[in-house]
Amino acid sequence: IVDRYIEEQGVGPVLQMVGAHDSIGGLIWIFYLSKNTLKARTLAGVNAETTSGSWQIEVLQGTALAVLPRGEGVAVGTADGDVYALNASGKLLWEDHNALGAVTGLVFVSPPNNPKIYTCIVSDTGHAVRSLDIRRDLLSETPLHLNRLAPPS
């Protein structure tokens, strides 16, 4: 068992889970969404019984989860239509608040000949499918560390 969710902690069952091999750090990551929490765990190997790193962050009403290109982190969509991308350390890389409804799907496409960019395709309950072009060279070199993912007030 890698992790256990205890209902007394108010976390609830795992709703979605994705895994990735971090091409930069060489670690195997699992990311899972439960009620209002996004958790991340690293595994020493595919059959490891212990974890070698972890973090968690509060996210209200997470609805979709996808691994970033090259396994460098995870993106989470919310019922409010927000999308947040976090690096493997749980720090905020970028965010978007332009959906027409709850996010229902996230897909990442990365051109094989240009590692500096990737596209995030977002679907939502407002019957929209949109794309966000992400340029790595425009992302902050010191991502934000947050305790909670929420739109700007």
Side-chain angles (χ1 to χ4, degrees), residues 4 18 59 68 83 103 147:
R4 282 191 79 111
V18 294
V59 55
L68 296 177
V83 178
V103 175
N147 294 321

Side-chain angles (χ1 to χ4, degrees), residues 60-130:
L60 298 179
Q61 297 179 317
T63 57
L65 202 57
V67 173
L68 296 177
R70 300 189 327 194
E72 58 195 323
V74 66
V76 60
T78 70
D80 290 334
D82 304 317
V83 178
Y84 302 94
L86 305 163
N87 68 12
S89 299
K91 294 180 180 175
L92 183 67
L93 293 171
W94 56 265
E95 60 189 304
D96 179 79
H97 308 282
N98 292 313
L100 299 174
V103 175
T104 57
L106 295 167
V107 174
F108 287 93
V109 180
S110 185
N113 58 348
N114 190 350
K116 294 181 180 180
I117 64 170
Y118 60 87
T119 300
C120 174
I121 302 168
V122 183
S123 62
D124 62 47
T125 57
H127 306 284
V129 175
R130 61 196 174 92

Side-chain angles (χ1 to χ4, degrees), residues 22 24 31 38 55 57 66-76 83-97 108 118 120 132-146 148-149:
D22 177 3
I24 299 167
F31 303 96
L38 172 63
W55 54 265
I57 190 166
V67 173
L68 296 177
R70 300 189 327 194
E72 58 195 323
V74 66
V76 60
V83 178
Y84 302 94
L86 305 163
N87 68 12
S89 299
K91 294 180 180 175
L92 183 67
L93 293 171
W94 56 265
E95 60 189 304
D96 179 79
H97 308 282
F108 287 93
Y118 60 87
C120 174
L132 307 167
D133 291 327
I134 309 299
R135 288 182 44 191
R136 285 185 174 93
D137 60 332
L138 296 179
L139 299 178
S140 173
E141 292 185 22
T142 54
L144 294 173
H145 178 72
L146 305 172
R148 179 179 186 222
L149 298 176

